[in-house]
Amino acid sequence: MCVDDLPDGRSFHFPEPNATRRQEPDTRRNPMKMTGAQALIKSLEMEQVEVVFGLPGGCILPAYDPILDSPIRHILVRHEQGAGHMAEGYAHVTGRPGVAMVTSGPAATNLVTPLCDAYMDSVPMVAITGQVSRPVIGTDGFQECDTVGITRSVTKHNELIMDPDEIPLMVRQAFHLATTGRPGPVLLDVPKDVLQADITWHWPSDEDLAASLPGYKPTLKGHPKMIKEAARLISESRRPVIYAGGGILRSRAAGALRELAERTGIPVVTTLMARGAFPDDHPLCLGMPGMHGNYTAVTAMQKSDLLIALGTRFDDRVTGKVTSFAPEAKVVHVDIDPAELGKIRRPDVPIVGDCRQVITEIVRALEGRDQADREEWRSRISGWQERFPLYYDPHVPGDALKPQYVMEQLRDCAPEGTILVSGVGQHQMWASQYWRFTEPYTWVNSGGLGTMGFSVPAAIGAKVGRPDRTVWAVDGDGCFQMTAQELVTAASERIPVKVAILNNAYLGMVRQWQEMFYEERYSEVYLSPDLPDYVKWAEAMGCAAFRVESPEEVQPVIEKANSIDDRPVVIDFRTDSREKVFPMVPAGFSNDDLVVHPSQKPGGERVVQ
């Protein structure tokens, strides 16, 4: 069995063809009859599912009856999109697949956004959707839609179950596919009459599972020749950088990454998806690269002679203009998905495999090899760190709060082990920049798809997965308005998440782009700071709520929020709409065109390197 330690300290047995998740009594001598719906819920129990996020409706209704007799906790959401993001948040912090269950038609289409989000960020998730009965399929029946067709491009695998007897095998396949190889979302679409039909229960064996997926064999071990060549390049390079992506977290490779960095003394950048994979307080940590990464991380990659890319996909937000990205660097690229190798940047050493296994193999191959002299490289990096730290102008009396200051106070007041969840926009970048991540699985965000509205439901899912941890969601006012209704879910289910709204009355990131690239022509980005009244809204949803407008209020109110543990808390921070996120690489520009804070460059000119 493949056993790994999960963030919550438990062990999860990732299913393999020869692995058994739970021993099932031999039912051949005593056949067990049940409905398809009962088989579906029993199959989830066999997969050790502890919670399902969902919303019932006509076609999925048969599956909701056996939930009453199941130990599985069901959390009733207010919108199907919320169910999907809660499943994602749960998966981010536990490493276990999140499960969402909704009905057919509009419920299924409301689930498409979180499915795509999970697909882009390689989040293990199993979605179950109801479908109209088999005789009605193809007749444009009420709430019928081609769910499998719609979700084909945003799921790792999907299946319309037409045979009731196949339900247990389909469920077992779904969890196996969602959690092995490159993780991702799997959808099962189940017609109502399939759920109502009688079946004879049979839990598939390891052999049944392996035989049902003959072509699915993810490569885990790296090729020995490629491992040896990677070790040679690493030991000879004078300006190397480890470029760590979200695959480090998906493969539980944070420990292996740290060993590689410390054995070689090579600095590490952690992408937005990998924040926490390498501790920010480690001397070798350079922080986040990319469009809003810090100066040192961006420049070190750009000036490197070797990029050791681990579980990352050369996203355009990191590379900037691809043709000018790290022009002198050779590339060792490790990824479990062979389709990622060479898709954007041609690697000199491509290695297909599980990050943890491959890194361990590389560390072993480095034994006995001398490392090149990198003293000058370390000196250059240190110089960049001293000259270009993250910076924002201090507060001026009479002005609104600085959002960066709010983030610093949230960070400094956070109990140990706090999980931070963010929406998408300026607040997301400030959250990543100003938090200090010291352990993996404490950062939850939507990286690839950039889904506004992700924060509140994902935070609820994270808190369900890690009830022992404080969970803060940082949201913008635009993001918050998209899915805030899920705080009703949190209040009614006694899930005490905390939400910090950085309320600048604008769609902040769009405003920043309009200010910088559209001559301050602010088209359709103003939201108003008072409409809605966030305190009244939050209180109406069963939350404790506060408004903060001055720096003196920030810390006391955060501490008050941290002390409340019987209901959700919302703080409306009134922040300065003029603040922009720096540094910044404008979209489509080279990383050499990095724009720093105006105070770090006279006249606010772009730094020319």
Side-chain angles (χ1 to χ4, degrees), residues 7 85-96 98 117-118 121-124 249-250 252 273 419 440-447 454 458 461-462 466:
H85 292 319
M86 288 180 204
E88 287 188 272
Y90 176 89
H92 269 280
V93 302
T94 65
R96 303 165 65 85
D117 194 276
D121 289 344
S122 305
V123 178
L249 297 173
R250 300 290 176 262
R252 312 287 150 198
M273 294 308 300
I419 292 170
Y441 318 111
T442 56
W443 168 240
V444 180
N445 100 119
S446 168
F454 174 84
R466 295 303 310 268

PDB file of all heavy atoms in Angstrom, residues 7 85-96 98 117-118 121-124 249-250 252 273 419 440-447 454 458 461-462 466:
ATOM      1  N   PRO A   7      -2.045  16.130   6.283  1.00  0.00           N
ATOM      2  CA  PRO A   7      -1.838  17.319   7.097  1.00  0.00           C
ATOM      3  C   PRO A   7      -2.454  17.221   8.482  1.00  0.00           C
ATOM      4  O   PRO A   7      -1.990  17.874   9.402  1.00  0.00           O
ATOM      5  CB  PRO A   7      -2.521  18.413   6.270  1.00  0.00           C
ATOM      6  CG  PRO A   7      -2.516  17.912   4.883  1.00  0.00           C
ATOM      7  CD  PRO A   7      -2.641  16.426   4.992  1.00  0.00           C
ATOM      8  N   HIS A  85     -16.867  24.353  -4.091  1.00  0.00           N
ATOM      9  CA  HIS A  85     -15.714  25.022  -3.480  1.00  0.00           C
ATOM     10  C   HIS A  85     -15.461  24.508  -2.060  1.00  0.00           C
ATOM     11  O   HIS A  85     -14.318  24.453  -1.608  1.00  0.00           O
ATOM     12  CB  HIS A  85     -15.916  26.538  -3.469  1.00  0.00           C
ATOM     13  CG  HIS A  85     -15.904  27.160  -4.833  1.00  0.00           C
ATOM     14  ND1 HIS A  85     -15.010  26.772  -5.820  1.00  0.00           N
ATOM     15  CD2 HIS A  85     -16.661  28.147  -5.383  1.00  0.00           C
ATOM     16  CE1 HIS A  85     -15.224  27.492  -6.916  1.00  0.00           C
ATOM     17  NE2 HIS A  85     -16.225  28.323  -6.684  1.00  0.00           N
ATOM     18  N   MET A  86     -16.526  24.145  -1.343  1.00  0.00           N
ATOM     19  CA  MET A  86     -16.317  23.555  -0.011  1.00  0.00           C
ATOM     20  C   MET A  86     -15.564  22.228  -0.144  1.00  0.00           C
ATOM     21  O   MET A  86     -14.649  21.944   0.647  1.00  0.00           O
ATOM     22  CB  MET A  86     -17.655  23.329   0.682  1.00  0.00           C
ATOM     23  CG  MET A  86     -18.335  24.603   1.146  1.00  0.00           C
ATOM     24  SD  MET A  86     -19.924  24.271   1.947  1.00  0.00           S
ATOM     25  CE  MET A  86     -20.751  25.848   1.712  1.00  0.00           C
ATOM     26  N   ALA A  87     -15.941  21.436  -1.134  1.00  0.00           N
ATOM     27  CA  ALA A  87     -15.227  20.169  -1.357  1.00  0.00           C
ATOM     28  C   ALA A  87     -13.762  20.443  -1.675  1.00  0.00           C
ATOM     29  O   ALA A  87     -12.864  19.720  -1.213  1.00  0.00           O
ATOM     30  CB  ALA A  87     -15.894  19.387  -2.487  1.00  0.00           C
ATOM     31  N   GLU A  88     -13.498  21.498  -2.432  1.00  0.00           N
ATOM     32  CA  GLU A  88     -12.111  21.852  -2.741  1.00  0.00           C
ATOM     33  C   GLU A  88     -11.348  22.269  -1.487  1.00  0.00           C
ATOM     34  O   GLU A  88     -10.199  21.847  -1.270  1.00  0.00           O
ATOM     35  CB  GLU A  88     -12.075  23.007  -3.739  1.00  0.00           C
ATOM     36  CG  GLU A  88     -12.464  22.653  -5.159  1.00  0.00           C
ATOM     37  CD  GLU A  88     -12.210  23.831  -6.076  1.00  0.00           C
ATOM     38  OE1 GLU A  88     -13.106  24.684  -6.220  1.00  0.00           O
ATOM     39  OE2 GLU A  88     -11.104  23.913  -6.637  1.00  0.00           O
ATOM     40  N   GLY A  89     -11.977  23.142  -0.685  1.00  0.00           N
ATOM     41  CA  GLY A  89     -11.300  23.593   0.530  1.00  0.00           C
ATOM     42  C   GLY A  89     -10.974  22.431   1.453  1.00  0.00           C
ATOM     43  O   GLY A  89      -9.892  22.364   2.045  1.00  0.00           O
ATOM     44  N   TYR A  90     -11.924  21.508   1.555  1.00  0.00           N
ATOM     45  CA  TYR A  90     -11.712  20.306   2.369  1.00  0.00           C
ATOM     46  C   TYR A  90     -10.512  19.510   1.845  1.00  0.00           C
ATOM     47  O   TYR A  90      -9.637  19.075   2.604  1.00  0.00           O
ATOM     48  CB  TYR A  90     -12.981  19.457   2.342  1.00  0.00           C
ATOM     49  CG  TYR A  90     -12.890  18.145   3.055  1.00  0.00           C
ATOM     50  CD1 TYR A  90     -13.198  18.039   4.411  1.00  0.00           C
ATOM     51  CD2 TYR A  90     -12.493  16.987   2.373  1.00  0.00           C
ATOM     52  CE1 TYR A  90     -13.114  16.815   5.060  1.00  0.00           C
ATOM     53  CE2 TYR A  90     -12.397  15.771   3.015  1.00  0.00           C
ATOM     54  CZ  TYR A  90     -12.721  15.688   4.359  1.00  0.00           C
ATOM     55  OH  TYR A  90     -12.624  14.475   5.009  1.00  0.00           O
ATOM     56  N   ALA A  91     -10.456  19.355   0.521  1.00  0.00           N
ATOM     57  CA  ALA A  91      -9.367  18.571  -0.080  1.00  0.00           C
ATOM     58  C   ALA A  91      -8.020  19.279   0.072  1.00  0.00           C
ATOM     59  O   ALA A  91      -6.992  18.636   0.310  1.00  0.00           O
ATOM     60  CB  ALA A  91      -9.674  18.318  -1.556  1.00  0.00           C
ATOM     61  N   HIS A  92      -8.000  20.606  -0.063  1.00  0.00           N
ATOM     62  CA  HIS A  92      -6.749  21.346   0.054  1.00  0.00           C
ATOM     63  C   HIS A  92      -6.058  21.076   1.384  1.00  0.00           C
ATOM     64  O   HIS A  92      -4.844  20.907   1.443  1.00  0.00           O
ATOM     65  CB  HIS A  92      -7.021  22.854  -0.055  1.00  0.00           C
ATOM     66  CG  HIS A  92      -6.939  23.407  -1.449  1.00  0.00           C
ATOM     67  ND1 HIS A  92      -5.739  23.708  -2.054  1.00  0.00           N
ATOM     68  CD2 HIS A  92      -7.900  23.748  -2.336  1.00  0.00           C
ATOM     69  CE1 HIS A  92      -5.966  24.206  -3.269  1.00  0.00           C
ATOM     70  NE2 HIS A  92      -7.271  24.236  -3.464  1.00  0.00           N
ATOM     71  N   VAL A  93      -6.837  21.091   2.477  1.00  0.00           N
ATOM     72  CA  VAL A  93      -6.203  21.043   3.797  1.00  0.00           C
ATOM     73  C   VAL A  93      -6.085  19.638   4.367  1.00  0.00           C
ATOM     74  O   VAL A  93      -5.320  19.421   5.303  1.00  0.00           O
ATOM     75  CB  VAL A  93      -6.952  21.938   4.810  1.00  0.00           C
ATOM     76  CG1 VAL A  93      -6.999  23.364   4.315  1.00  0.00           C
ATOM     77  CG2 VAL A  93      -8.361  21.423   5.097  1.00  0.00           C
ATOM     78  N   THR A  94      -6.839  18.685   3.824  1.00  0.00           N
ATOM     79  CA  THR A  94      -6.776  17.320   4.364  1.00  0.00           C
ATOM     80  C   THR A  94      -6.012  16.367   3.456  1.00  0.00           C
ATOM     81  O   THR A  94      -5.520  15.339   3.926  1.00  0.00           O
ATOM     82  CB  THR A  94      -8.188  16.728   4.560  1.00  0.00           C
ATOM     83  OG1 THR A  94      -8.815  16.573   3.285  1.00  0.00           O
ATOM     84  CG2 THR A  94      -9.048  17.614   5.466  1.00  0.00           C
ATOM     85  N   GLY A  95      -5.943  16.682   2.168  1.00  0.00           N
ATOM     86  CA  GLY A  95      -5.342  15.750   1.224  1.00  0.00           C
ATOM     87  C   GLY A  95      -6.295  14.662   0.789  1.00  0.00           C
ATOM     88  O   GLY A  95      -5.978  13.860  -0.090  1.00  0.00           O
ATOM     89  N   ARG A  96      -7.462  14.623   1.398  1.00  0.00           N
ATOM     90  CA  ARG A  96      -8.459  13.617   1.026  1.00  0.00           C
ATOM     91  C   ARG A  96      -9.421  14.214   0.010  1.00  0.00           C
ATOM     92  O   ARG A  96      -9.658  15.420  -0.003  1.00  0.00           O
ATOM     93  CB  ARG A  96      -9.236  13.158   2.265  1.00  0.00           C
ATOM     94  CG  ARG A  96      -8.352  12.603   3.370  1.00  0.00           C
ATOM     95  CD  ARG A  96      -9.087  12.499   4.689  1.00  0.00           C
ATOM     96  NE  ARG A  96     -10.178  11.532   4.616  1.00  0.00           N
ATOM     97  CZ  ARG A  96     -10.041  10.228   4.798  1.00  0.00           C
ATOM     98  NH1 ARG A  96      -8.851   9.732   5.072  1.00  0.00           N
ATOM     99  NH2 ARG A  96     -11.062   9.424   4.726  1.00  0.00           N
ATOM    100  N   GLY A  98     -12.503  15.776  -1.670  1.00  0.00           N
ATOM    101  CA  GLY A  98     -13.747  16.381  -1.253  1.00  0.00           C
ATOM    102  C   GLY A  98     -14.886  15.848  -2.104  1.00  0.00           C
ATOM    103  O   GLY A  98     -14.704  15.531  -3.272  1.00  0.00           O
ATOM    104  N   ASP A 117     -12.200  24.690 -11.616  1.00  0.00           N
ATOM    105  CA  ASP A 117     -11.219  25.197 -10.656  1.00  0.00           C
ATOM    106  C   ASP A 117     -10.359  24.049 -10.120  1.00  0.00           C
ATOM    107  O   ASP A 117      -9.128  24.148 -10.074  1.00  0.00           O
ATOM    108  CB  ASP A 117     -11.969  25.891  -9.508  1.00  0.00           C
ATOM    109  CG  ASP A 117     -11.056  26.723  -8.652  1.00  0.00           C
ATOM    110  OD1 ASP A 117     -10.419  26.167  -7.743  1.00  0.00           O
ATOM    111  OD2 ASP A 117     -10.966  27.942  -8.899  1.00  0.00           O
ATOM    112  N   ALA A 118     -11.010  22.963  -9.722  1.00  0.00           N
ATOM    113  CA  ALA A 118     -10.281  21.805  -9.198  1.00  0.00           C
ATOM    114  C   ALA A 118      -9.403  21.182 -10.277  1.00  0.00           C
ATOM    115  O   ALA A 118      -8.289  20.712 -10.004  1.00  0.00           O
ATOM    116  CB  ALA A 118     -11.268  20.772  -8.647  1.00  0.00           C
ATOM    117  N   ASP A 121      -6.253  23.288 -10.754  1.00  0.00           N
ATOM    118  CA  ASP A 121      -5.339  23.259  -9.608  1.00  0.00           C
ATOM    119  C   ASP A 121      -5.051  21.850  -9.103  1.00  0.00           C
ATOM    120  O   ASP A 121      -4.465  21.682  -8.024  1.00  0.00           O
ATOM    121  CB  ASP A 121      -5.913  24.109  -8.461  1.00  0.00           C
ATOM    122  CG  ASP A 121      -5.851  25.599  -8.775  1.00  0.00           C
ATOM    123  OD1 ASP A 121      -5.116  25.975  -9.710  1.00  0.00           O
ATOM    124  OD2 ASP A 121      -6.534  26.383  -8.097  1.00  0.00           O
ATOM    125  N   SER A 122      -5.471  20.839  -9.864  1.00  0.00           N
ATOM    126  CA  SER A 122      -5.181  19.435  -9.521  1.00  0.00           C
ATOM    127  C   SER A 122      -5.655  19.077  -8.114  1.00  0.00           C
ATOM    128  O   SER A 122      -4.909  18.514  -7.308  1.00  0.00           O
ATOM    129  CB  SER A 122      -3.674  19.157  -9.654  1.00  0.00           C
ATOM    130  OG  SER A 122      -3.200  19.488 -10.928  1.00  0.00           O
ATOM    131  N   VAL A 123      -6.896  19.428  -7.829  1.00  0.00           N
ATOM    132  CA  VAL A 123      -7.478  19.157  -6.513  1.00  0.00           C
ATOM    133  C   VAL A 123      -8.311  17.877  -6.590  1.00  0.00           C
ATOM    134  O   VAL A 123      -9.201  17.766  -7.436  1.00  0.00           O
ATOM    135  CB  VAL A 123      -8.378  20.323  -6.059  1.00  0.00           C
ATOM    136  CG1 VAL A 123      -9.028  20.015  -4.707  1.00  0.00           C
ATOM    137  CG2 VAL A 123      -7.574  21.608  -5.987  1.00  0.00           C
ATOM    138  N   PRO A 124      -8.072  16.891  -5.709  1.00  0.00           N
ATOM    139  CA  PRO A 124      -8.874  15.653  -5.745  1.00  0.00           C
ATOM    140  C   PRO A 124     -10.304  15.921  -5.283  1.00  0.00           C
ATOM    141  O   PRO A 124     -10.525  16.478  -4.217  1.00  0.00           O
ATOM    142  CB  PRO A 124      -8.136  14.737  -4.761  1.00  0.00           C
ATOM    143  CG  PRO A 124      -7.414  15.660  -3.830  1.00  0.00           C
ATOM    144  CD  PRO A 124      -7.036  16.864  -4.651  1.00  0.00           C
ATOM    145  N   LEU A 249       2.886  19.920  -3.031  1.00  0.00           N
ATOM    146  CA  LEU A 249       1.885  19.646  -2.001  1.00  0.00           C
ATOM    147  C   LEU A 249       1.033  18.439  -2.373  1.00  0.00           C
ATOM    148  O   LEU A 249       0.698  17.621  -1.521  1.00  0.00           O
ATOM    149  CB  LEU A 249       1.006  20.877  -1.796  1.00  0.00           C
ATOM    150  CG  LEU A 249       1.743  22.117  -1.286  1.00  0.00           C
ATOM    151  CD1 LEU A 249       0.827  23.333  -1.277  1.00  0.00           C
ATOM    152  CD2 LEU A 249       2.289  21.866   0.119  1.00  0.00           C
ATOM    153  N   ARG A 250       0.661  18.330  -3.640  1.00  0.00           N
ATOM    154  CA  ARG A 250      -0.189  17.209  -4.048  1.00  0.00           C
ATOM    155  C   ARG A 250       0.506  15.869  -3.832  1.00  0.00           C
ATOM    156  O   ARG A 250      -0.145  14.848  -3.592  1.00  0.00           O
ATOM    157  CB  ARG A 250      -0.580  17.364  -5.514  1.00  0.00           C
ATOM    158  CG  ARG A 250      -1.342  18.635  -5.834  1.00  0.00           C
ATOM    159  CD  ARG A 250      -2.752  18.629  -5.257  1.00  0.00           C
ATOM    160  NE  ARG A 250      -3.392  19.910  -5.513  1.00  0.00           N
ATOM    161  CZ  ARG A 250      -3.464  20.899  -4.626  1.00  0.00           C
ATOM    162  NH1 ARG A 250      -2.988  20.735  -3.407  1.00  0.00           N
ATOM    163  NH2 ARG A 250      -4.047  22.046  -4.945  1.00  0.00           N
ATOM    164  N   ARG A 252       2.785  15.295  -1.488  1.00  0.00           N
ATOM    165  CA  ARG A 252       3.312  15.235  -0.120  1.00  0.00           C
ATOM    166  C   ARG A 252       4.837  15.278  -0.131  1.00  0.00           C
ATOM    167  O   ARG A 252       5.507  14.479   0.542  1.00  0.00           O
ATOM    168  CB  ARG A 252       2.838  13.965   0.584  1.00  0.00           C
ATOM    169  CG  ARG A 252       1.378  13.691   0.449  1.00  0.00           C
ATOM    170  CD  ARG A 252       0.534  14.622   1.279  1.00  0.00           C
ATOM    171  NE  ARG A 252      -0.760  14.804   0.626  1.00  0.00           N
ATOM    172  CZ  ARG A 252      -1.607  15.788   0.874  1.00  0.00           C
ATOM    173  NH1 ARG A 252      -1.300  16.698   1.767  1.00  0.00           N
ATOM    174  NH2 ARG A 252      -2.738  15.903   0.248  1.00  0.00           N
ATOM    175  N   MET A 273       0.501  28.520  -5.874  1.00  0.00           N
ATOM    176  CA  MET A 273      -0.111  27.255  -5.454  1.00  0.00           C
ATOM    177  C   MET A 273       0.754  26.480  -4.471  1.00  0.00           C
ATOM    178  O   MET A 273       0.285  25.539  -3.845  1.00  0.00           O
ATOM    179  CB  MET A 273      -0.402  26.372  -6.676  1.00  0.00           C
ATOM    180  CG  MET A 273      -1.461  26.917  -7.612  1.00  0.00           C
ATOM    181  SD  MET A 273      -3.004  27.349  -6.768  1.00  0.00           S
ATOM    182  CE  MET A 273      -3.485  25.781  -6.061  1.00  0.00           C
ATOM    183  N   ILE A 419      -5.116  28.494   9.135  1.00  0.00           N
ATOM    184  CA  ILE A 419      -5.253  28.261   7.694  1.00  0.00           C
ATOM    185  C   ILE A 419      -5.807  29.529   7.064  1.00  0.00           C
ATOM    186  O   ILE A 419      -6.788  30.099   7.543  1.00  0.00           O
ATOM    187  CB  ILE A 419      -6.195  27.067   7.435  1.00  0.00           C
ATOM    188  CG1 ILE A 419      -5.534  25.771   7.922  1.00  0.00           C
ATOM    189  CG2 ILE A 419      -6.552  26.960   5.948  1.00  0.00           C
ATOM    190  CD1 ILE A 419      -6.460  24.582   7.940  1.00  0.00           C
ATOM    191  N   PRO A 440       3.131  23.430   5.332  1.00  0.00           N
ATOM    192  CA  PRO A 440       2.275  23.160   4.168  1.00  0.00           C
ATOM    193  C   PRO A 440       0.809  22.986   4.568  1.00  0.00           C
ATOM    194  O   PRO A 440       0.486  22.768   5.737  1.00  0.00           O
ATOM    195  CB  PRO A 440       2.854  21.863   3.595  1.00  0.00           C
ATOM    196  CG  PRO A 440       3.550  21.215   4.747  1.00  0.00           C
ATOM    197  CD  PRO A 440       4.050  22.331   5.615  1.00  0.00           C
ATOM    198  N   TYR A 441      -0.046  23.114   3.591  1.00  0.00           N
ATOM    199  CA  TYR A 441      -1.496  22.887   3.726  1.00  0.00           C
ATOM    200  C   TYR A 441      -2.179  23.915   4.618  1.00  0.00           C
ATOM    201  O   TYR A 441      -3.188  23.636   5.252  1.00  0.00           O
ATOM    202  CB  TYR A 441      -1.788  21.450   4.224  1.00  0.00           C
ATOM    203  CG  TYR A 441      -0.907  20.436   3.551  1.00  0.00           C
ATOM    204  CD1 TYR A 441       0.088  19.761   4.244  1.00  0.00           C
ATOM    205  CD2 TYR A 441      -1.027  20.207   2.178  1.00  0.00           C
ATOM    206  CE1 TYR A 441       0.938  18.882   3.604  1.00  0.00           C
ATOM    207  CE2 TYR A 441      -0.180  19.324   1.526  1.00  0.00           C
ATOM    208  CZ  TYR A 441       0.793  18.664   2.250  1.00  0.00           C
ATOM    209  OH  TYR A 441       1.633  17.800   1.611  1.00  0.00           O
ATOM    210  N   THR A 442      -1.596  25.106   4.706  1.00  0.00           N
ATOM    211  CA  THR A 442      -2.228  26.193   5.453  1.00  0.00           C
ATOM    212  C   THR A 442      -2.639  27.330   4.528  1.00  0.00           C
ATOM    213  O   THR A 442      -3.009  28.402   4.998  1.00  0.00           O
ATOM    214  CB  THR A 442      -1.274  26.739   6.538  1.00  0.00           C
ATOM    215  OG1 THR A 442      -0.047  27.137   5.918  1.00  0.00           O
ATOM    216  CG2 THR A 442      -1.001  25.696   7.598  1.00  0.00           C
ATOM    217  N   TRP A 443      -2.576  27.121   3.230  1.00  0.00           N
ATOM    218  CA  TRP A 443      -2.929  28.140   2.241  1.00  0.00           C
ATOM    219  C   TRP A 443      -3.886  27.519   1.237  1.00  0.00           C
ATOM    220  O   TRP A 443      -3.582  26.482   0.633  1.00  0.00           O
ATOM    221  CB  TRP A 443      -1.663  28.642   1.543  1.00  0.00           C
ATOM    222  CG  TRP A 443      -1.837  29.477   0.312  1.00  0.00           C
ATOM    223  CD1 TRP A 443      -1.375  29.180  -0.941  1.00  0.00           C
ATOM    224  CD2 TRP A 443      -2.453  30.781   0.184  1.00  0.00           C
ATOM    225  NE1 TRP A 443      -1.662  30.187  -1.825  1.00  0.00           N
ATOM    226  CE2 TRP A 443      -2.326  31.191  -1.160  1.00  0.00           C
ATOM    227  CE3 TRP A 443      -3.111  31.625   1.094  1.00  0.00           C
ATOM    228  CZ2 TRP A 443      -2.829  32.400  -1.629  1.00  0.00           C
ATOM    229  CZ3 TRP A 443      -3.598  32.839   0.627  1.00  0.00           C
ATOM    230  CH2 TRP A 443      -3.455  33.215  -0.706  1.00  0.00           C
ATOM    231  N   VAL A 444      -5.047  28.131   1.070  1.00  0.00           N
ATOM    232  CA  VAL A 444      -6.066  27.612   0.161  1.00  0.00           C
ATOM    233  C   VAL A 444      -6.462  28.747  -0.772  1.00  0.00           C
ATOM    234  O   VAL A 444      -6.887  29.815  -0.313  1.00  0.00           O
ATOM    235  CB  VAL A 444      -7.311  27.128   0.936  1.00  0.00           C
ATOM    236  CG1 VAL A 444      -8.364  26.591  -0.030  1.00  0.00           C
ATOM    237  CG2 VAL A 444      -6.930  26.073   1.963  1.00  0.00           C
ATOM    238  N   ASN A 445      -6.319  28.513  -2.055  1.00  0.00           N
ATOM    239  CA  ASN A 445      -6.729  29.573  -2.988  1.00  0.00           C
ATOM    240  C   ASN A 445      -6.973  29.007  -4.369  1.00  0.00           C
ATOM    241  O   ASN A 445      -6.655  27.846  -4.669  1.00  0.00           O
ATOM    242  CB  ASN A 445      -5.701  30.716  -2.984  1.00  0.00           C
ATOM    243  CG  ASN A 445      -4.740  30.667  -4.126  1.00  0.00           C
ATOM    244  OD1 ASN A 445      -4.663  31.573  -4.938  1.00  0.00           O
ATOM    245  ND2 ASN A 445      -3.990  29.594  -4.199  1.00  0.00           N
ATOM    246  N   SER A 446      -7.579  29.822  -5.205  1.00  0.00           N
ATOM    247  CA  SER A 446      -7.867  29.436  -6.585  1.00  0.00           C
ATOM    248  C   SER A 446      -6.789  30.031  -7.469  1.00  0.00           C
ATOM    249  O   SER A 446      -6.767  31.229  -7.715  1.00  0.00           O
ATOM    250  CB  SER A 446      -9.249  29.972  -6.983  1.00  0.00           C
ATOM    251  OG  SER A 446      -9.432  29.863  -8.377  1.00  0.00           O
ATOM    252  N   GLY A 447      -5.866  29.186  -7.935  1.00  0.00           N
ATOM    253  CA  GLY A 447      -4.729  29.690  -8.688  1.00  0.00           C
ATOM    254  C   GLY A 447      -4.944  29.722 -10.183  1.00  0.00           C
ATOM    255  O   GLY A 447      -4.867  30.761 -10.827  1.00  0.00           O
ATOM    256  N   PHE A 454     -14.514  32.281  -4.463  1.00  0.00           N
ATOM    257  CA  PHE A 454     -13.968  31.009  -3.981  1.00  0.00           C
ATOM    258  C   PHE A 454     -13.829  30.992  -2.457  1.00  0.00           C
ATOM    259  O   PHE A 454     -14.015  29.966  -1.802  1.00  0.00           O
ATOM    260  CB  PHE A 454     -12.596  30.799  -4.629  1.00  0.00           C
ATOM    261  CG  PHE A 454     -11.820  29.608  -4.152  1.00  0.00           C
ATOM    262  CD1 PHE A 454     -12.049  28.355  -4.707  1.00  0.00           C
ATOM    263  CD2 PHE A 454     -10.840  29.725  -3.172  1.00  0.00           C
ATOM    264  CE1 PHE A 454     -11.325  27.244  -4.284  1.00  0.00           C
ATOM    265  CE2 PHE A 454     -10.110  28.630  -2.746  1.00  0.00           C
ATOM    266  CZ  PHE A 454     -10.351  27.388  -3.310  1.00  0.00           C
ATOM    267  N   ALA A 458     -14.826  27.905   0.267  1.00  0.00           N
ATOM    268  CA  ALA A 458     -13.617  27.091   0.459  1.00  0.00           C
ATOM    269  C   ALA A 458     -13.173  27.123   1.913  1.00  0.00           C
ATOM    270  O   ALA A 458     -12.682  26.122   2.450  1.00  0.00           O
ATOM    271  CB  ALA A 458     -12.495  27.593  -0.450  1.00  0.00           C
ATOM    272  N   GLY A 461     -15.262  24.669   3.814  1.00  0.00           N
ATOM    273  CA  GLY A 461     -14.768  23.303   3.598  1.00  0.00           C
ATOM    274  C   GLY A 461     -13.483  23.039   4.360  1.00  0.00           C
ATOM    275  O   GLY A 461     -13.286  21.954   4.925  1.00  0.00           O
ATOM    276  N   ALA A 462     -12.596  24.041   4.396  1.00  0.00           N
ATOM    277  CA  ALA A 462     -11.329  23.870   5.121  1.00  0.00           C
ATOM    278  C   ALA A 462     -11.569  23.691   6.613  1.00  0.00           C
ATOM    279  O   ALA A 462     -10.927  22.868   7.273  1.00  0.00           O
ATOM    280  CB  ALA A 462     -10.429  25.075   4.861  1.00  0.00           C
ATOM    281  N   ARG A 466     -10.513  20.657   8.909  1.00  0.00           N
ATOM    282  CA  ARG A 466      -9.584  20.870  10.026  1.00  0.00           C
ATOM    283  C   ARG A 466     -10.276  21.677  11.122  1.00  0.00           C
ATOM    284  O   ARG A 466      -9.956  22.858  11.331  1.00  0.00           O
ATOM    285  CB  ARG A 466      -8.322  21.592   9.554  1.00  0.00           C
ATOM    286  CG  ARG A 466      -7.465  20.818   8.581  1.00  0.00           C
ATOM    287  CD  ARG A 466      -7.010  19.455   9.098  1.00  0.00           C
ATOM    288  NE  ARG A 466      -6.414  19.501  10.417  1.00  0.00           N
ATOM    289  CZ  ARG A 466      -5.088  19.644  10.631  1.00  0.00           C
ATOM    290  NH1 ARG A 466      -4.277  19.755   9.617  1.00  0.00           N
ATOM    291  NH2 ARG A 466      -4.612  19.653  11.860  1.00  0.00           N
TER     292      ARG A 466
END
